Amino acid sequence: MTRTGAGSATGVRRRTAAAALVLGLSAVLAACGSEDGGGDSPKLSVSGAYVPQPPTPDMAAGYVTVTNKGGADDELTSVTTPLAAEVTMHTTTGTRMKQVRSLKVPADGELRLATGGDHLMLTNLTHKPKVGDKVSFTLHFASSDPVEIKVPVEPTTYRPKD
C-alpha cells in the first residue's frame, strides 16, 4: 500500500506539472501571436486635411494625414469628392511626380500627404472653390471602411504648422 500511495502522489505531481506546463506554453504562444499583429487590424484616423485654393479653375491639390494606430498595414486605394470628376494619387521623389494606384498606410505609422511630397490631384473641377469653403472627401482603403471628411479650402500659400 505504501508503494501505491507514493505512486499516487507522484502521479498527481506529474499531472499538475504537465498542466502547468501546458498553461504556461499557451500563455507564451498567445503573447507571441498578439505581438506580431497576427489578427490585428488597422485603426485609422484622419487629420490635417486641406485643399489650397487652386490658381486655375480646373485643377487642385489635396493634402491629408492618415494615422494608423493598429498592428496591420492598410492602403489608401482611392479618394472621391463631388468637387472633381477625378482624384489621382501621386508620389514625389526629388522633382519627379508619379501617379500611383495606392499609398501604404503602415501599421503603427502614418501616411502624410504634404506640399512637395505625396499628394492628391483633383482634376476636372465642378467649380473653383474659395477660401473658407468646405469640400467633402471620401477616403477608400483596402481593408478599412471608407472615411468621410470635410476639408477646408485654405489660401494658395497656406502651409500647416507641424
PDB file of all heavy atoms in Angstrom, residues 67-98:
ATOM      1  N   THR A  67      -3.355  58.440 -39.985  1.00  0.00           N
ATOM      2  CA  THR A  67      -2.589  57.778 -38.930  1.00  0.00           C
ATOM      3  C   THR A  67      -3.183  56.410 -38.667  1.00  0.00           C
ATOM      4  O   THR A  67      -4.398  56.254 -38.594  1.00  0.00           O
ATOM      5  CB  THR A  67      -2.625  58.625 -37.637  1.00  0.00           C
ATOM      6  OG1 THR A  67      -2.097  59.925 -37.931  1.00  0.00           O
ATOM      7  CG2 THR A  67      -1.800  57.979 -36.529  1.00  0.00           C
ATOM      8  N   ASN A  68      -2.306  55.413 -38.532  1.00  0.00           N
ATOM      9  CA  ASN A  68      -2.721  54.037 -38.283  1.00  0.00           C
ATOM     10  C   ASN A  68      -2.145  53.590 -36.947  1.00  0.00           C
ATOM     11  O   ASN A  68      -0.951  53.373 -36.824  1.00  0.00           O
ATOM     12  CB  ASN A  68      -2.215  53.132 -39.412  1.00  0.00           C
ATOM     13  CG  ASN A  68      -2.652  51.693 -39.256  1.00  0.00           C
ATOM     14  OD1 ASN A  68      -3.295  51.322 -38.282  1.00  0.00           O
ATOM     15  ND2 ASN A  68      -2.301  50.881 -40.233  1.00  0.00           N
ATOM     16  N   LYS A  69      -3.003  53.466 -35.944  1.00  0.00           N
ATOM     17  CA  LYS A  69      -2.553  53.011 -34.623  1.00  0.00           C
ATOM     18  C   LYS A  69      -2.773  51.510 -34.443  1.00  0.00           C
ATOM     19  O   LYS A  69      -2.605  50.984 -33.348  1.00  0.00           O
ATOM     20  CB  LYS A  69      -3.262  53.793 -33.525  1.00  0.00           C
ATOM     21  CG  LYS A  69      -2.835  55.246 -33.522  1.00  0.00           C
ATOM     22  CD  LYS A  69      -3.289  55.977 -32.308  1.00  0.00           C
ATOM     23  CE  LYS A  69      -2.755  57.406 -32.393  1.00  0.00           C
ATOM     24  NZ  LYS A  69      -3.007  58.172 -31.225  1.00  0.00           N
ATOM     25  N   GLY A  70      -3.126  50.824 -35.531  1.00  0.00           N
ATOM     26  CA  GLY A  70      -3.333  49.381 -35.481  1.00  0.00           C
ATOM     27  C   GLY A  70      -2.060  48.619 -35.791  1.00  0.00           C
ATOM     28  O   GLY A  70      -1.045  49.191 -36.175  1.00  0.00           O
ATOM     29  N   GLY A  71      -2.143  47.312 -35.669  1.00  0.00           N
ATOM     30  CA  GLY A  71      -0.985  46.454 -35.876  1.00  0.00           C
ATOM     31  C   GLY A  71      -0.880  45.882 -37.275  1.00  0.00           C
ATOM     32  O   GLY A  71      -0.047  45.020 -37.523  1.00  0.00           O
ATOM     33  N   ALA A  72      -1.717  46.339 -38.212  1.00  0.00           N
ATOM     34  CA  ALA A  72      -1.664  45.853 -39.589  1.00  0.00           C
ATOM     35  C   ALA A  72      -1.642  47.032 -40.550  1.00  0.00           C
ATOM     36  O   ALA A  72      -2.265  48.064 -40.300  1.00  0.00           O
ATOM     37  CB  ALA A  72      -2.869  44.963 -39.881  1.00  0.00           C
ATOM     38  N   ASP A  73      -0.916  46.871 -41.651  1.00  0.00           N
ATOM     39  CA  ASP A  73      -0.874  47.887 -42.697  1.00  0.00           C
ATOM     40  C   ASP A  73      -2.239  48.005 -43.366  1.00  0.00           C
ATOM     41  O   ASP A  73      -3.055  47.089 -43.312  1.00  0.00           O
ATOM     42  CB  ASP A  73       0.133  47.504 -43.792  1.00  0.00           C
ATOM     43  CG  ASP A  73       1.575  47.494 -43.336  1.00  0.00           C
ATOM     44  OD1 ASP A  73       1.869  48.052 -42.256  1.00  0.00           O
ATOM     45  OD2 ASP A  73       2.408  46.941 -44.065  1.00  0.00           O
ATOM     46  N   ASP A  74      -2.468  49.125 -44.022  1.00  0.00           N
ATOM     47  CA  ASP A  74      -3.616  49.308 -44.902  1.00  0.00           C
ATOM     48  C   ASP A  74      -3.120  50.105 -46.094  1.00  0.00           C
ATOM     49  O   ASP A  74      -1.947  50.494 -46.138  1.00  0.00           O
ATOM     50  CB  ASP A  74      -4.761  50.041 -44.175  1.00  0.00           C
ATOM     51  CG  ASP A  74      -6.131  49.701 -44.773  1.00  0.00           C
ATOM     52  OD1 ASP A  74      -6.200  49.228 -45.926  1.00  0.00           O
ATOM     53  OD2 ASP A  74      -7.136  49.912 -44.076  1.00  0.00           O
ATOM     54  N   GLU A  75      -3.987  50.338 -47.051  1.00  0.00           N
ATOM     55  CA  GLU A  75      -3.628  51.137 -48.226  1.00  0.00           C
ATOM     56  C   GLU A  75      -4.758  52.084 -48.564  1.00  0.00           C
ATOM     57  O   GLU A  75      -5.923  51.686 -48.533  1.00  0.00           O
ATOM     58  CB  GLU A  75      -3.394  50.238 -49.445  1.00  0.00           C
ATOM     59  CG  GLU A  75      -2.161  49.418 -49.417  1.00  0.00           C
ATOM     60  CD  GLU A  75      -2.034  48.602 -50.695  1.00  0.00           C
ATOM     61  OE1 GLU A  75      -1.723  49.193 -51.745  1.00  0.00           O
ATOM     62  OE2 GLU A  75      -2.270  47.394 -50.632  1.00  0.00           O
ATOM     63  N   LEU A  76      -4.397  53.315 -48.869  1.00  0.00           N
ATOM     64  CA  LEU A  76      -5.358  54.263 -49.426  1.00  0.00           C
ATOM     65  C   LEU A  76      -5.466  53.901 -50.903  1.00  0.00           C
ATOM     66  O   LEU A  76      -4.475  53.967 -51.636  1.00  0.00           O
ATOM     67  CB  LEU A  76      -4.859  55.697 -49.248  1.00  0.00           C
ATOM     68  CG  LEU A  76      -5.747  56.799 -49.821  1.00  0.00           C
ATOM     69  CD1 LEU A  76      -7.108  56.835 -49.129  1.00  0.00           C
ATOM     70  CD2 LEU A  76      -5.050  58.154 -49.706  1.00  0.00           C
ATOM     71  N   THR A  77      -6.652  53.457 -51.333  1.00  0.00           N
ATOM     72  CA  THR A  77      -6.809  52.973 -52.704  1.00  0.00           C
ATOM     73  C   THR A  77      -7.478  53.985 -53.634  1.00  0.00           C
ATOM     74  O   THR A  77      -7.285  53.929 -54.846  1.00  0.00           O
ATOM     75  CB  THR A  77      -7.616  51.664 -52.726  1.00  0.00           C
ATOM     76  OG1 THR A  77      -8.879  51.885 -52.077  1.00  0.00           O
ATOM     77  CG2 THR A  77      -6.859  50.540 -52.026  1.00  0.00           C
ATOM     78  N   SER A  78      -8.262  54.902 -53.065  1.00  0.00           N
ATOM     79  CA  SER A  78      -8.872  55.948 -53.890  1.00  0.00           C
ATOM     80  C   SER A  78      -9.486  57.016 -52.993  1.00  0.00           C
ATOM     81  O   SER A  78      -9.696  56.800 -51.806  1.00  0.00           O
ATOM     82  CB  SER A  78      -9.948  55.379 -54.825  1.00  0.00           C
ATOM     83  OG  SER A  78     -11.053  54.911 -54.097  1.00  0.00           O
ATOM     84  N   VAL A  79      -9.743  58.160 -53.610  1.00  0.00           N
ATOM     85  CA  VAL A  79     -10.406  59.268 -52.927  1.00  0.00           C
ATOM     86  C   VAL A  79     -11.461  59.802 -53.888  1.00  0.00           C
ATOM     87  O   VAL A  79     -11.196  59.956 -55.091  1.00  0.00           O
ATOM     88  CB  VAL A  79      -9.401  60.385 -52.547  1.00  0.00           C
ATOM     89  CG1 VAL A  79     -10.113  61.563 -51.903  1.00  0.00           C
ATOM     90  CG2 VAL A  79      -8.315  59.833 -51.625  1.00  0.00           C
ATOM     91  N   THR A  80     -12.643  60.078 -53.355  1.00  0.00           N
ATOM     92  CA  THR A  80     -13.693  60.665 -54.184  1.00  0.00           C
ATOM     93  C   THR A  80     -14.170  61.964 -53.547  1.00  0.00           C
ATOM     94  O   THR A  80     -14.097  62.140 -52.332  1.00  0.00           O
ATOM     95  CB  THR A  80     -14.886  59.688 -54.348  1.00  0.00           C
ATOM     96  OG1 THR A  80     -15.343  59.281 -53.053  1.00  0.00           O
ATOM     97  CG2 THR A  80     -14.471  58.452 -55.136  1.00  0.00           C
ATOM     98  N   THR A  81     -14.643  62.864 -54.391  1.00  0.00           N
ATOM     99  CA  THR A  81     -15.181  64.142 -53.948  1.00  0.00           C
ATOM    100  C   THR A  81     -16.136  64.677 -55.011  1.00  0.00           C
ATOM    101  O   THR A  81     -15.881  64.513 -56.211  1.00  0.00           O
ATOM    102  CB  THR A  81     -14.054  65.163 -53.685  1.00  0.00           C
ATOM    103  OG1 THR A  81     -14.654  66.432 -53.329  1.00  0.00           O
ATOM    104  CG2 THR A  81     -13.157  65.372 -54.873  1.00  0.00           C
ATOM    105  N   PRO A  82     -17.225  65.317 -54.599  1.00  0.00           N
ATOM    106  CA  PRO A  82     -18.106  65.927 -55.588  1.00  0.00           C
ATOM    107  C   PRO A  82     -17.461  67.135 -56.277  1.00  0.00           C
ATOM    108  O   PRO A  82     -17.968  67.606 -57.286  1.00  0.00           O
ATOM    109  CB  PRO A  82     -19.341  66.335 -54.778  1.00  0.00           C
ATOM    110  CG  PRO A  82     -18.956  66.259 -53.354  1.00  0.00           C
ATOM    111  CD  PRO A  82     -17.753  65.398 -53.248  1.00  0.00           C
ATOM    112  N   LEU A  83     -16.338  67.614 -55.756  1.00  0.00           N
ATOM    113  CA  LEU A  83     -15.657  68.768 -56.356  1.00  0.00           C
ATOM    114  C   LEU A  83     -14.968  68.428 -57.666  1.00  0.00           C
ATOM    115  O   LEU A  83     -14.786  69.304 -58.514  1.00  0.00           O
ATOM    116  CB  LEU A  83     -14.622  69.343 -55.374  1.00  0.00           C
ATOM    117  CG  LEU A  83     -13.789  70.516 -55.867  1.00  0.00           C
ATOM    118  CD1 LEU A  83     -14.667  71.729 -56.178  1.00  0.00           C
ATOM    119  CD2 LEU A  83     -12.718  70.869 -54.854  1.00  0.00           C
ATOM    120  N   ALA A  84     -14.581  67.149 -57.870  1.00  0.00           N
ATOM    121  CA  ALA A  84     -13.774  66.792 -59.047  1.00  0.00           C
ATOM    122  C   ALA A  84     -14.274  65.510 -59.704  1.00  0.00           C
ATOM    123  O   ALA A  84     -14.716  64.584 -59.023  1.00  0.00           O
ATOM    124  CB  ALA A  84     -12.324  66.607 -58.629  1.00  0.00           C
ATOM    125  N   ALA A  85     -14.152  65.478 -61.018  1.00  0.00           N
ATOM    126  CA  ALA A  85     -14.515  64.270 -61.758  1.00  0.00           C
ATOM    127  C   ALA A  85     -13.525  63.150 -61.476  1.00  0.00           C
ATOM    128  O   ALA A  85     -13.891  61.975 -61.493  1.00  0.00           O
ATOM    129  CB  ALA A  85     -14.551  64.565 -63.257  1.00  0.00           C
ATOM    130  N   GLU A  86     -12.279  63.527 -61.179  1.00  0.00           N
ATOM    131  CA  GLU A  86     -11.257  62.514 -60.934  1.00  0.00           C
ATOM    132  C   GLU A  86     -10.296  62.981 -59.840  1.00  0.00           C
ATOM    133  O   GLU A  86      -9.925  64.148 -59.782  1.00  0.00           O
ATOM    134  CB  GLU A  86     -10.468  62.253 -62.222  1.00  0.00           C
ATOM    135  CG  GLU A  86      -9.438  61.168 -62.100  1.00  0.00           C
ATOM    136  CD  GLU A  86      -8.725  60.884 -63.418  1.00  0.00           C
ATOM    137  OE1 GLU A  86      -8.593  61.803 -64.254  1.00  0.00           O
ATOM    138  OE2 GLU A  86      -8.292  59.742 -63.582  1.00  0.00           O
ATOM    139  N   VAL A  87      -9.917  62.043 -58.968  1.00  0.00           N
ATOM    140  CA  VAL A  87      -8.889  62.295 -57.961  1.00  0.00           C
ATOM    141  C   VAL A  87      -7.829  61.214 -58.146  1.00  0.00           C
ATOM    142  O   VAL A  87      -8.143  60.027 -58.099  1.00  0.00           O
ATOM    143  CB  VAL A  87      -9.443  62.243 -56.525  1.00  0.00           C
ATOM    144  CG1 VAL A  87      -8.329  62.513 -55.514  1.00  0.00           C
ATOM    145  CG2 VAL A  87     -10.582  63.244 -56.345  1.00  0.00           C
ATOM    146  N   THR A  88      -6.594  61.641 -58.380  1.00  0.00           N
ATOM    147  CA  THR A  88      -5.496  60.693 -58.525  1.00  0.00           C
ATOM    148  C   THR A  88      -4.490  60.904 -57.403  1.00  0.00           C
ATOM    149  O   THR A  88      -4.385  61.991 -56.841  1.00  0.00           O
ATOM    150  CB  THR A  88      -4.808  60.838 -59.893  1.00  0.00           C
ATOM    151  OG1 THR A  88      -4.415  62.194 -60.084  1.00  0.00           O
ATOM    152  CG2 THR A  88      -5.736  60.417 -61.023  1.00  0.00           C
ATOM    153  N   MET A  89      -3.769  59.833 -57.100  1.00  0.00           N
ATOM    154  CA  MET A  89      -2.754  59.886 -56.043  1.00  0.00           C
ATOM    155  C   MET A  89      -1.375  59.905 -56.694  1.00  0.00           C
ATOM    156  O   MET A  89      -1.140  59.202 -57.682  1.00  0.00           O
ATOM    157  CB  MET A  89      -2.898  58.666 -55.128  1.00  0.00           C
ATOM    158  CG  MET A  89      -4.214  58.651 -54.388  1.00  0.00           C
ATOM    159  SD  MET A  89      -4.446  57.174 -53.384  1.00  0.00           S
ATOM    160  CE  MET A  89      -4.848  55.969 -54.640  1.00  0.00           C
ATOM    161  N   HIS A  90      -0.493  60.728 -56.109  1.00  0.00           N
ATOM    162  CA  HIS A  90       0.851  60.876 -56.684  1.00  0.00           C
ATOM    163  C   HIS A  90       1.919  60.793 -55.594  1.00  0.00           C
ATOM    164  O   HIS A  90       1.724  61.273 -54.480  1.00  0.00           O
ATOM    165  CB  HIS A  90       0.977  62.243 -57.378  1.00  0.00           C
ATOM    166  CG  HIS A  90       0.074  62.376 -58.560  1.00  0.00           C
ATOM    167  ND1 HIS A  90       0.476  62.158 -59.840  1.00  0.00           N
ATOM    168  CD2 HIS A  90      -1.243  62.684 -58.635  1.00  0.00           C
ATOM    169  CE1 HIS A  90      -0.536  62.332 -60.676  1.00  0.00           C
ATOM    170  NE2 HIS A  90      -1.602  62.661 -59.953  1.00  0.00           N
ATOM    171  N   THR A  91       3.055  60.190 -55.965  1.00  0.00           N
ATOM    172  CA  THR A  91       4.241  60.234 -55.112  1.00  0.00           C
ATOM    173  C   THR A  91       5.213  61.206 -55.754  1.00  0.00           C
ATOM    174  O   THR A  91       5.186  61.418 -56.968  1.00  0.00           O
ATOM    175  CB  THR A  91       4.916  58.856 -54.966  1.00  0.00           C
ATOM    176  OG1 THR A  91       5.300  58.388 -56.251  1.00  0.00           O
ATOM    177  CG2 THR A  91       3.994  57.857 -54.292  1.00  0.00           C
ATOM    178  N   THR A  92       6.053  61.795 -54.951  1.00  0.00           N
ATOM    179  CA  THR A  92       7.063  62.721 -55.458  1.00  0.00           C
ATOM    180  C   THR A  92       8.414  62.305 -54.896  1.00  0.00           C
ATOM    181  O   THR A  92       8.558  62.132 -53.690  1.00  0.00           O
ATOM    182  CB  THR A  92       6.748  64.172 -55.032  1.00  0.00           C
ATOM    183  OG1 THR A  92       5.430  64.499 -55.488  1.00  0.00           O
ATOM    184  CG2 THR A  92       7.745  65.148 -55.624  1.00  0.00           C
ATOM    185  N   THR A  93       9.363  62.118 -55.787  1.00  0.00           N
ATOM    186  CA  THR A  93      10.736  61.825 -55.400  1.00  0.00           C
ATOM    187  C   THR A  93      11.605  62.885 -56.065  1.00  0.00           C
ATOM    188  O   THR A  93      11.650  62.958 -57.291  1.00  0.00           O
ATOM    189  CB  THR A  93      11.160  60.414 -55.866  1.00  0.00           C
ATOM    190  OG1 THR A  93      10.214  59.468 -55.378  1.00  0.00           O
ATOM    191  CG2 THR A  93      12.545  60.072 -55.356  1.00  0.00           C
ATOM    192  N   GLY A  94      12.249  63.714 -55.241  1.00  0.00           N
ATOM    193  CA  GLY A  94      13.004  64.835 -55.810  1.00  0.00           C
ATOM    194  C   GLY A  94      12.035  65.773 -56.494  1.00  0.00           C
ATOM    195  O   GLY A  94      11.121  66.303 -55.875  1.00  0.00           O
ATOM    196  N   THR A  95      12.207  65.946 -57.803  1.00  0.00           N
ATOM    197  CA  THR A  95      11.298  66.802 -58.573  1.00  0.00           C
ATOM    198  C   THR A  95      10.395  65.979 -59.489  1.00  0.00           C
ATOM    199  O   THR A  95       9.662  66.541 -60.284  1.00  0.00           O
ATOM    200  CB  THR A  95      12.098  67.802 -59.428  1.00  0.00           C
ATOM    201  OG1 THR A  95      12.960  67.065 -60.304  1.00  0.00           O
ATOM    202  CG2 THR A  95      12.906  68.742 -58.546  1.00  0.00           C
ATOM    203  N   ARG A  96      10.445  64.659 -59.351  1.00  0.00           N
ATOM    204  CA  ARG A  96       9.644  63.789 -60.215  1.00  0.00           C
ATOM    205  C   ARG A  96       8.359  63.337 -59.514  1.00  0.00           C
ATOM    206  O   ARG A  96       8.394  62.811 -58.419  1.00  0.00           O
ATOM    207  CB  ARG A  96      10.454  62.582 -60.657  1.00  0.00           C
ATOM    208  CG  ARG A  96      11.666  63.005 -61.473  1.00  0.00           C
ATOM    209  CD  ARG A  96      12.332  61.869 -62.198  1.00  0.00           C
ATOM    210  NE  ARG A  96      11.461  61.007 -62.949  1.00  0.00           N
ATOM    211  CZ  ARG A  96      11.106  61.197 -64.227  1.00  0.00           C
ATOM    212  NH1 ARG A  96      11.542  62.248 -64.882  1.00  0.00           N
ATOM    213  NH2 ARG A  96      10.338  60.326 -64.840  1.00  0.00           N
ATOM    214  N   MET A  97       7.250  63.564 -60.211  1.00  0.00           N
ATOM    215  CA  MET A  97       5.943  63.186 -59.705  1.00  0.00           C
ATOM    216  C   MET A  97       5.473  61.960 -60.487  1.00  0.00           C
ATOM    217  O   MET A  97       5.623  61.893 -61.712  1.00  0.00           O
ATOM    218  CB  MET A  97       4.971  64.349 -59.912  1.00  0.00           C
ATOM    219  CG  MET A  97       3.598  64.115 -59.366  1.00  0.00           C
ATOM    220  SD  MET A  97       2.563  65.603 -59.445  1.00  0.00           S
ATOM    221  CE  MET A  97       2.185  65.674 -61.186  1.00  0.00           C
ATOM    222  N   LYS A  98       4.916  60.965 -59.775  1.00  0.00           N
ATOM    223  CA  LYS A  98       4.454  59.743 -60.425  1.00  0.00           C
ATOM    224  C   LYS A  98       3.080  59.365 -59.887  1.00  0.00           C
ATOM    225  O   LYS A  98       2.883  59.309 -58.667  1.00  0.00           O
ATOM    226  CB  LYS A  98       5.449  58.617 -60.153  1.00  0.00           C
ATOM    227  CG  LYS A  98       5.052  57.282 -60.714  1.00  0.00           C
ATOM    228  CD  LYS A  98       6.069  56.215 -60.328  1.00  0.00           C
ATOM    229  CE  LYS A  98       5.572  54.854 -60.737  1.00  0.00           C
ATOM    230  NZ  LYS A  98       6.416  53.785 -60.210  1.00  0.00           N
TER     231      LYS A  98
END
